[in-house]
Amino acid sequence: MAERVQQPPAKRLCCRPGYSATCRQGQRAAGAPCGGSGANQGGSGKTQNPETLLDIAARKVAEKWPFQRVEERFERIPEPVQRRIVYWSFPRSEREICMYSSFNNGGEEIGSSGESSDETRLPFRRGIALLESGCVDNVLQVGFHLSGTVREPATASEPEIVCNVSVSFDRCKITAVTCSCGNKDIFYCTHVVALALYRVRKPEQVKLRLPISETLFQMNRDQLQKFVQYLITVHHTEVLPTAQKLADEILSQNSEINQVHGAPDPTAGASVDDENCWHLDEEQVQEQVKLFLSQGGYHGSGKQLNLLFSKVREMLKMRDSNGARMLTLITEQFMGDPRLALWRQQGTTMTDKYRQLWDELGALWMCIVLNPHYKPEQKGFWLRQLRRWNSVDVCPLEDGNHGSELTNLTNALPQGPPGNPDSLTRPHRTVFTRAIEACDLHWQDSHLQHIITEDHYIHYCYHDNLDSSLFDPRGWPLWHEHVPTACARVDALRSHGFPKEALRLAIAIVNTLRRQQQKQLDFFRTHKKELLHKGTTSVTNLEGWVGHPLDPIGTLISTLMESWRNSEEGAATLLDFSGPLGAGRRMERPVLQTQRFLEEGESLVSLAVETALIGLGQQRVMPDGLYAQEKVCRNEEQLLAKLQEIDLDETLVKIFRKQAALLLEAGPYSGLGEILYRESVPMHTFAKYLFTSLLPHDVELTYKIALRAMRLPVLESTAPSGDLSRPHHIVSVMPNRLPRWFTLSHIETQQCELASTMLTAAKGDARKLETVLESIQKNIHSSSHIFKLAQDAFKIATLMDSLPDITLLKVSLELGLQVMRMTLSTLNWRRREMVRWLVTCATEAGVFALDSIMQSWFTLFTPTEATSVVASTVMSNSTIVRLHLDSHQQENLANSARTLALQCAMKDPQNCALSALTLCEKDHIAFETAYQIVLDAAATGMNYTQLFTIARYMEHRGYPMRAYKLATLAMTHLNLSYNQDTHPAINDVLWACALSHSLGKNELASVIPLVVKSVKCATVLSDILRRCTLTTPGLVALHSRRNSGKLMPLEKAPLRQLLDATIGAYINTTHSRLTHISPRHYSEFIEFLSKARETFLMAHDGHIQFTQFIDNLKQIYKGKKKLMMLVRERFG
């Protein structure tokens, strides 16, 4: 028998048994296939021919022993025995082949040919298709080596491909694969799958030979020489150089090859030192992870990484040692991600999805180190790895950006507030810290072992009432441990394929939580007065269960719900849905008898629901950091989504009512208790779910829960000591601390939604609406959210298909009034919308509401809002029609509006005077009062724009003299310089002069001095001058009296004054422009002088003045030769 060269040690031994139950007893080795869909002959499970002792023994040896050990143990192994060992050494289950060739594990469809549209690209599915299409040929098994050819049929775009495939195997595991297709991927290619499944399904059609060393051993010298020469002849181009080299070494007595007894044989099976594990392409795992990370979350890379994590969980479930190996490779690539150092250098945070991948990485390592069947050397190796990663500077922290102050997993949490003196000296906790701490945990506790291994572990005579009791008064086992740590044990059991044990421990933990809840309630009831009197409390859980990195509540719920679904289906299997994709596998397990540890009428689903309610209702501190706070919100929503999938029956409703009552009475232990820590996580989202679920069953309890949950103490100030006896008292241990709640906006939105839900449900119930209104006014501090609630209430109260709900309408109005008061002195971009909406709401409420908001306008609106929006809307025809008012009611409402307008005009004449005049038009006394307010304010409180606007309004209303008076007042505030020829007030000046001219010579004479004083712009003055000379003043005078019709002379006042001022303005403007003139403006300047000449010529001696003016320019600016040449050409 040939001996083999000692091979270097390969991979670690795999712990899981290799024999699959799909190989039925009694099947003969030479006749029937041994796994998958081909292992179904017999049908009934009873065979007529019992399995031979040789096959039974060979199969067991093939599963457990490396073939070298068999050779060393026995001097000679008969050929039939060797054949049977070799035969049974190939894997007989398709499950592992599927696991190593696709992201999803195939579920119940393993072995079937059905393909869904999204699975056709999976190597496993395509391999099945090639196998069933007859594309596998030339299959040969030589010892522990399988080879064959797989043909891929031609397609429209690709020619036919024939691939040479070889597979090595050992102890029912594929240990190496080779395919000429050159596939580079984490998983086995289609062709390897097709060949392996051919051997699984059609073992009787595979030619089986002993290892090649055994065949060579049977040859004599001539046969060996002929064998070698024929082999070289057939493959001379490939093997001739190698054959010659080996021949030279063998003929050299001192060569290394002659120092070894025997020769290697690749078909002779594994050596004693070889690790027994499935083939995993480590290089491809690293390359794929590196590629996904480099894509930064784009192109579906995040999904692909989650699929890899799911694959790790699947391997752990199968108890495959490659699970830890693959996770190690993934972790190395994550730690080598160059973005970590870049983010640290720039001080930026990683993306949320990337952060979640790190969380899953840490959770998987937690599962691995808590493997209940680990070997000490394995745990030591993992611990060294984890510590090495943990020590790297760029290793992500557990809570995202901030170092947490939590204690070790194995210790109970302190009962004091955060911010302990030594908190700054504590090291930061990374994503690996919990896994490192978990290495200190063990499974040797006898009580724990009894819990997870026995269905009937009961102690009926146990009556210890201590908190650390091993059993409750019913004799049921309890497990007292840091809750997240205990739940991590449950997750580890599930992850490593121990669902029965996980369920037993989960039930013990939940029973412990229920007992602790009752004890906490009893303690609070006993010491309630003392706690309220002291006015201090400690947060019972610095480390909340919801949003915890280990997701303890989610783990318990998943474990219980999976077992419940299994019992509902009536199947004797347990399904695992762990991992990001919920991918699981079926494990053949007897159904666990759990009813012994449940109350009468309870089920696993009711236990899961109660667990969720206990966890969600726990009072816990809001963690530091944006990511940790977002995780709290996200985890709460995930748990509520699981609860919403469950239909509430009578039993579950009882549990809801029981837990709701307990949470209300549990004091500092409950987020819904009377004593609330200032920085506790709010209960709004949870309470909204309870409200909608319980409302049909217990209205009073429902409202108690929702009203209690409306609190948001982080926005409240500390209550004075005199109020300590008040119910719902808010206590702050650190009143001066300003917490950073990054999710506060989301929290306030949830608070608003809870209030809106209550308002909707309370429609028609005046007492409840009043109570909800009080709660909103007390607890909601955001004006935008209160405004939203007001709008919601208004919509509900005024539904089209029913009469308005007056009470709810009043609630809406009251909330709107509160919004007005809150935003009166602050900037809010929605303020104008809020004002308009409030007037609409008050209109719907009736004339009394409108009158009320006008009476108290100064506490609700600015003067501008009150006049331009409120009073204007009230006095509009649409409002009168909408309210169906009689003449008396109209007059009363109008009087209120006019009173409001006058008050606003007194307070803010600049912005409200015109509105007041408009609103008071129909009341002579009020109008005169408003006009007098304008006159009083004109001297100091109003600018020329406002005065001109009101003056034009007066002219439009038929009061030209009042308009004239206001225009002259406006002119006193105006000042136009020489270059402001486009000033917006020019039109107002021209209008004022035209108005004065139309009123008569005296009025024009009065206004011209004001114009001359206020306007220095030559073009504006010349425009006014021409307008005054074109028509006779007073043509449209008062009382329609006409003047004599004579034009006013330019040589006399008041036009002479205006003419002189205009000429002077042209002269000054000319010198100013010439100071900084450039050649490109020369032509424009010549045109300006032409206009000036026209004005000069209007004077009696204008020609002489203009000539002198031009001569002066030529003398003064003679240096500007080109410009002066243009002046001479035009003006001589």
Side-chain angles (χ1 to χ4, degrees):
M1 186 172 297
E3 294 177 309
R4 65 173 59 76
V5 177
Q6 181 71 25
Q7 300 293 321
K11 305 175 186 65
R12 204 177 336 187
L13 288 173
C14 182
C15 300
R16 69 172 300 279
Y19 174 62
S20 170
T22 55
C23 182
R24 301 177 183 277
Q25 277 193 328
Q27 290 176 335
R28 290 190 173 275
C34 301
S37 60
N40 293 326
Q41 66 181 47
S44 64
K46 296 181 180 179
T47 56
Q48 296 179 356
N49 298 317
E51 194 173 19
T52 65
L53 185 59
L54 172 60
D55 273 327
I56 296 173
R59 187 177 68 239
K60 291 298 182 183
V61 169
E63 291 173 358
K64 301 294 184 182
W65 284 28
F67 196 65
Q68 182 184 11
R69 178 167 294 173
V70 178
E71 291 177 325
E72 292 172 350
R73 179 75 178 269
F74 304 99
E75 184 177 349
R76 180 180 179 278
I77 306 172
E79 183 176 322
V81 175
Q82 288 192 55
R83 284 181 175 274
R84 300 323 295 159
I85 292 175
V86 168
Y87 177 87
W88 289 110
S89 291
F90 196 85
R92 297 183 289 281
S93 169
E94 297 182 7
R95 184 178 291 114
E96 285 86 354
I97 297 171
C98 177
M99 182 171 71
Y100 280 93
S101 60
S102 57
F103 269 124
N104 92 335
N105 65 351
E108 304 87 57
E109 298 181 11
I110 291 178
S112 67
S113 60
E115 298 181 9
S116 64
S117 59
D118 59 343
E119 292 178 337
T120 54
R121 293 185 65 256
L122 294 176
F124 184 75
R125 296 296 177 192
R126 298 207 315 270
I128 290 177
L130 291 176
L131 172 63
E132 295 180 345
S133 301
C135 296
V136 183
D137 299 306
N138 306 319
V139 182
L140 173 66
Q141 179 180 341
V142 179
F144 297 87
H145 186 272
L146 182 71
S147 62
T149 59
V150 179
R151 174 176 48 86
E152 276 208 67
T155 63
S157 58
E158 298 289 341
E160 180 179 88
I161 302 174
V162 178
C163 297
N164 297 315
V165 186
S166 64
V167 173
S168 298
F169 52 93
D170 170 43
R171 285 168 276 180
C172 300
K173 294 181 177 66
I174 293 175
T175 56
V177 299
T178 306
C179 181
S180 62
C181 72
N183 173 71
K184 290 188 177 298
D185 198 357
I186 295 175
F187 302 118
Y188 301 166
C189 70
T190 300
H191 317 105
V192 170
V193 172
L195 178 64
L197 293 181
Y198 186 97
R199 172 62 176 79
V200 172
R201 296 186 180 189
K202 303 176 181 180
E204 73 283 354
Q205 298 180 23
V206 177
K207 299 175 184 177
L208 190 150
R209 300 290 185 268
L210 292 178
I212 193 68
S213 56
E214 291 295 323
T215 304
L216 296 177
F217 185 75
Q218 297 173 15
M219 296 181 183
N220 58 32
R221 185 190 177 285
D222 292 338
Q223 290 172 321
L224 284 172
Q225 184 168 357
K226 183 177 291 188
F227 171 78
V228 173
Q229 290 182 221
Y230 266 98
L231 179 64
I232 293 174
T233 300
V234 174
H235 300 287
H236 65 280
T237 58
E238 291 90 359
V239 304
L240 187 56
T242 305
Q244 186 60 57
K245 179 182 178 182
L246 289 174
D248 292 343
E249 290 187 8
I250 290 174
L251 292 174
S252 174
Q253 292 188 359
N254 295 326
S255 65
E256 183 178 351
I257 199 171
N258 284 322
Q259 306 303 316
V260 179
H261 184 62
D265 178 5
T267 69
S271 69
V272 174
D273 296 324
D274 285 345
E275 287 189 78
N276 182 222
C277 59
W278 286 77
H279 170 72
L280 179 68
D281 192 332
E282 295 189 1
E283 182 180 353
Q284 279 305 307
V285 171
Q286 292 172 316
E287 288 299 320
Q288 291 287 335
V289 175
K290 185 183 295 184
L291 174 64
F292 295 149
L293 288 174
S294 68
Q295 292 173 348
Y298 299 102
H299 313 294
S301 58
K303 179 181 179 183
Q304 296 297 320
L305 289 168
N306 273 319
L307 287 171
L308 285 178
F309 288 143
S310 178
K311 182 59 65 180
V312 171
R313 285 193 177 272
E314 187 181 348
M315 290 177 175
L316 295 179
K317 184 76 67 177
M318 302 284 281
R319 304 177 197 169
D320 187 335
S321 61
N322 277 340
R325 183 175 158 211
M326 185 171 178
L327 187 61
T328 300
L329 298 172
I330 294 173
T331 307
E332 290 287 2
Q333 294 305 312
F334 266 72
M335 290 299 300
D337 189 346
R339 291 178 298 171
L340 293 176
L342 181 64
W343 286 331
R344 181 181 178 87
Q345 181 181 0
Q346 295 177 343
T348 55
T349 58
M350 61 181 69
T351 63
D352 193 58
K353 289 185 178 179
Y354 187 55
R355 175 67 246 196
Q356 291 177 41
L357 293 173
W358 277 101
D359 281 352
E360 178 65 11
L361 197 67
L364 283 170
W365 276 114
M366 188 78 174
C367 287
I368 285 175
V369 301
L370 280 177
N371 182 350
H373 292 288
Y374 64 87
K375 294 181 179 179
E377 58 270 21
Q378 287 178 322
K379 199 167 194 178
F381 173 74
W382 294 332
L383 181 58
R384 288 191 296 274
Q385 275 192 150
L386 291 167
R387 283 176 173 168
R388 176 170 59 86
W389 293 327
N390 190 72
S391 64
V392 178
D393 288 341
V394 296
C395 184
L397 302 179
E398 182 180 73
D399 58 357
N401 302 314
H402 297 74
S404 177
E405 301 169 2
L406 302 177
T407 55
N408 189 289
L409 277 172
T410 55
N411 300 327
L413 289 171
Q415 300 299 307
N420 292 325
D422 62 335
S423 62
L424 296 177
T425 63
R426 296 182 181 177
H428 290 332
R429 297 176 62 87
T430 73
V431 292
F432 301 115
T433 302
R434 291 184 184 274
I436 293 172
E437 293 171 355
C439 290
D440 295 333
L441 302 174
H442 61 82
W443 296 83
Q444 279 70 49
D445 184 270
S446 59
H447 182 59
L448 176 61
Q449 286 295 315
H450 284 303
I451 290 174
I452 64 176
T453 58
E454 298 180 21
D455 284 337
H456 306 284
Y457 182 45
I458 300 175
H459 198 302
Y460 288 113
C461 299
Y462 199 90
H463 296 296
D464 189 355
N465 290 322
L466 298 175
D467 288 342
S468 58
S469 302
L470 300 181
F471 299 89
D472 65 11
R474 299 164 297 189
W476 296 356
L478 304 174
W479 180 243
H480 291 278
E481 190 176 28
H482 177 230
V483 173
T485 306
C487 295
R489 292 184 186 272
V490 174
D491 192 31
L493 289 169
R494 291 170 60 236
S495 298
H496 289 282
F498 299 100
K500 288 194 305 181
E501 292 81 354
L503 181 59
R504 293 185 186 115
L505 181 56
I507 293 174
I509 293 171
V510 175
N511 283 331
T512 306
L513 292 180
R514 294 198 293 187
R515 184 166 183 265
Q516 288 177 344
Q517 185 187 41
Q518 188 59 50
K519 282 185 168 290
Q520 290 168 350
L521 177 61
D522 294 341
F523 175 84
F524 178 65
R525 284 173 175 169
T526 305
H527 300 85
K528 181 175 180 179
K529 291 183 179 179
E530 179 184 351
L531 286 172
L532 290 174
H533 178 71
K534 288 181 178 179
T536 58
T537 182
S538 61
V539 179
T540 57
N541 286 283
L542 294 178
E543 191 177 34
W545 301 333
V546 176
H548 191 280
L550 300 179
D551 189 19
I553 300 300
T555 298
L556 293 175
I557 293 173
S558 297
T559 305
L560 296 168
M561 292 298 292
E562 286 161 18
S563 300
W564 170 69
R565 291 189 188 101
N566 167 64
S567 63
E568 286 290 301
E569 295 168 3
T573 59
L574 290 176
L575 279 174
D576 182 82
F577 293 90
S578 60
L581 297 183
R585 73 181 186 94
R586 287 189 178 274
M587 299 193 64
E588 303 295 335
R589 300 274 183 175
V591 177
L592 180 62
Q593 300 297 323
T594 58
Q595 292 299 122
R596 183 175 297 275
F597 299 121
L598 298 176
E599 297 279 2
E600 184 178 352
E602 278 188 340
S603 63
L604 291 178
V605 65
S606 66
L607 204 62
V609 168
E610 188 163 10
T611 303
L613 298 179
I614 292 173
L616 288 165
Q618 175 206 32
Q619 182 170 175
R620 54 198 181 272
V621 172
M622 178 69 78
D624 292 331
L626 171 62
Y627 178 74
Q629 293 176 11
E630 287 181 339
K631 191 172 183 180
V632 168
C633 299
R634 184 167 56 247
N635 191 208
E636 181 180 40
E637 290 167 357
Q638 291 168 348
L639 292 174
L640 290 175
K642 289 182 180 181
L643 286 176
Q644 287 168 346
E645 295 173 359
I646 302 172
D647 294 329
L648 296 186
D649 56 19
E650 187 177 348
T651 302
L652 294 181
V653 169
K654 289 181 180 178
I655 290 174
F656 267 74
R657 296 175 73 169
K658 166 193 165 187
Q659 278 299 322
L662 288 174
L663 291 173
L664 285 173
E665 299 175 13
Y669 303 98
S670 164
L672 296 169
E674 287 186 56
I675 298 180
L676 189 64
Y677 178 62
R678 182 167 179 256
E679 294 175 34
S680 290
V681 175
M683 297 283 113
H684 307 130
T685 308
F686 176 44
K688 180 185 173 186
Y689 168 73
L690 288 177
F691 186 89
T692 54
S693 301
L694 275 176
L695 188 61
H697 309 286
D698 193 331
V699 176
E700 292 302 320
L701 179 61
T702 301
Y703 275 94
K704 284 182 182 178
I705 285 284
L707 292 169
R708 182 72 65 81
M710 278 291 291
R711 299 171 298 179
L712 189 52
V714 73
L715 298 180
E716 301 282 354
S717 59
T718 308
S721 57
D723 293 337
L724 293 179
S725 59
R726 287 189 313 161
H728 310 175
H729 175 55
I730 296 169
V731 182
S732 175
V733 178
M734 292 175 297
N736 296 324
R737 182 182 175 188
L738 296 176
R740 297 188 66 188
W741 281 31
F742 299 95
T743 55
L744 186 59
S745 176
H746 170 77
I747 290 169
E748 287 188 287
T749 300
Q750 295 299 313
Q751 182 189 36
C752 176
E753 290 185 6
L754 172 61
S756 180
T757 303
M758 285 195 288
L759 284 175
T760 304
K763 182 179 180 181
D765 189 327
R767 184 179 62 84
K768 284 188 172 57
L769 281 173
E770 183 180 352
T771 306
V772 175
L773 174 62
E774 289 177 1
S775 179
I776 292 171
Q777 292 175 325
K778 175 183 177 183
N779 296 299
I780 298 185
H781 303 274
S782 166
S783 59
S784 59
H785 287 125
I786 296 178
F787 183 49
K788 180 184 181 302
L789 289 172
Q791 290 177 306
D792 290 347
F794 182 75
K795 291 175 184 176
I796 299 166
T798 57
L799 292 175
M800 296 298 292
D801 57 350
S802 61
L803 293 174
D805 186 309
I806 301 303
T807 307
L808 191 53
L809 198 58
K810 288 181 180 178
V811 169
S812 174
L813 180 62
E814 191 63 38
L815 291 174
L817 295 174
Q818 183 176 351
V819 172
M820 291 297 100
R821 288 188 285 267
M822 292 174 70
T823 58
L824 179 59
S825 58
T826 60
L827 294 177
N828 191 304
W829 64 275
R830 299 184 66 189
R831 171 72 183 181
R832 190 166 184 83
E833 176 194 356
M834 293 172 175
V835 173
R836 292 186 179 279
W837 177 87
L838 181 68
V839 176
T840 302
C841 182
T843 303
E844 194 68 33
V847 66
F848 177 79
L850 282 175
D851 190 63
S852 175
I853 65 172
M854 286 193 292
Q855 295 291 337
S856 57
W857 70 268
F858 48 88
T859 65
L860 304 172
F861 312 107
T862 63
T864 306
E865 292 168 345
T867 54
S868 63
V869 180
V870 181
S872 299
T873 305
V874 167
M875 295 189 68
S876 65
N877 290 329
S878 59
T879 302
I880 295 172
V881 173
R882 177 72 183 87
L883 294 174
H884 306 290
L885 301 180
D886 56 31
S887 58
H888 179 69
Q889 290 175 319
Q890 290 181 33
E891 186 59 30
N892 288 338
L893 203 59
N895 285 334
S896 295
R898 286 191 284 266
T899 302
L900 177 149
L902 293 174
Q903 290 173 347
C904 293
M906 288 287 291
K907 190 170 185 179
D908 185 6
Q910 298 94 333
N911 298 310
C912 301
L914 181 59
S915 297
L917 287 166
T918 305
L919 292 168
C920 296
E921 286 174 355
K922 295 181 181 181
D923 187 299
H924 178 72
I925 297 177
F927 187 81
E928 290 298 324
T929 304
Y931 175 63
Q932 189 59 46
I933 292 172
V934 173
L935 292 179
D936 293 342
T940 55
M942 302 181 74
N943 58 41
Y944 60 85
T945 303
Q946 295 162 343
L947 289 171
F948 274 132
T949 303
I950 298 173
R952 285 176 179 266
Y953 163 79
M954 284 296 186
E955 184 196 32
H956 176 71
R957 297 302 302 170
Y959 299 104
M961 288 306 296
R962 292 186 177 186
Y964 166 76
K965 184 173 181 60
L966 291 171
T968 56
L969 289 171
M971 291 292 292
T972 61
H973 297 286
L974 180 64
N975 184 21
L976 286 182
S977 63
Y978 75 92
N979 59 351
Q980 290 182 298
D981 52 358
T982 59
H983 194 283
I986 291 174
N987 286 331
D988 289 324
V989 173
L990 295 174
W991 168 83
C993 291
L995 175 65
S996 302
H997 188 270
S998 68
L999 292 175
K1001 181 179 178 181
N1002 294 333
E1003 286 77 8
L1004 182 61
S1006 298
V1007 84
I1008 284 178
L1010 296 175
V1011 172
V1012 170
K1013 182 179 179 181
S1014 303
V1015 179
K1016 306 302 180 184
C1017 182
T1019 55
V1020 176
L1021 289 172
S1022 63
D1023 194 3
I1024 296 171
L1025 181 62
R1026 283 182 179 81
R1027 290 172 186 245
C1028 291
T1029 58
L1030 290 177
T1031 59
T1032 302
L1035 287 180
V1036 188
L1038 291 176
H1039 311 297
S1040 299
R1041 292 186 289 105
R1042 291 184 177 271
N1043 287 347
S1044 59
K1046 293 181 180 180
L1047 294 175
M1048 295 181 68
L1050 287 171
E1051 65 275 6
K1052 295 183 179 180
L1055 293 188
R1056 180 64 189 185
Q1057 184 183 3
L1058 180 59
L1059 178 59
D1060 292 342
T1062 306
I1063 292 173
Y1066 269 116
I1067 293 172
N1068 292 333
T1069 304
T1070 299
H1071 288 292
S1072 296
R1073 294 183 69 171
L1074 283 172
T1075 305
H1076 302 290
I1077 195 168
S1078 62
R1080 61 180 177 175
H1081 294 129
Y1082 284 175
S1083 59
E1084 180 185 338
F1085 178 73
I1086 297 300
E1087 293 301 320
F1088 174 77
L1089 286 181
S1090 299
K1091 292 181 180 180
R1093 182 171 60 179
E1094 294 174 2
T1095 303
F1096 272 83
L1097 293 178
M1098 294 176 73
H1100 177 69
D1101 54 350
H1103 178 72
I1104 298 172
Q1105 290 186 50
F1106 186 73
T1107 302
Q1108 292 175 349
F1109 174 54
I1110 294 297
D1111 291 341
N1112 287 336
L1113 292 181
K1114 293 174 185 178
Q1115 182 65 29
I1116 297 172
Y1117 302 102
K1118 58 186 178 181
K1120 301 182 184 293
K1121 296 180 181 180
K1122 184 176 180 181
L1123 178 60
M1124 291 304 107
M1125 182 183 68
L1126 294 174
V1127 171
R1128 288 190 192 95
E1129 289 177 357
R1130 175 68 68 92
F1131 306 109

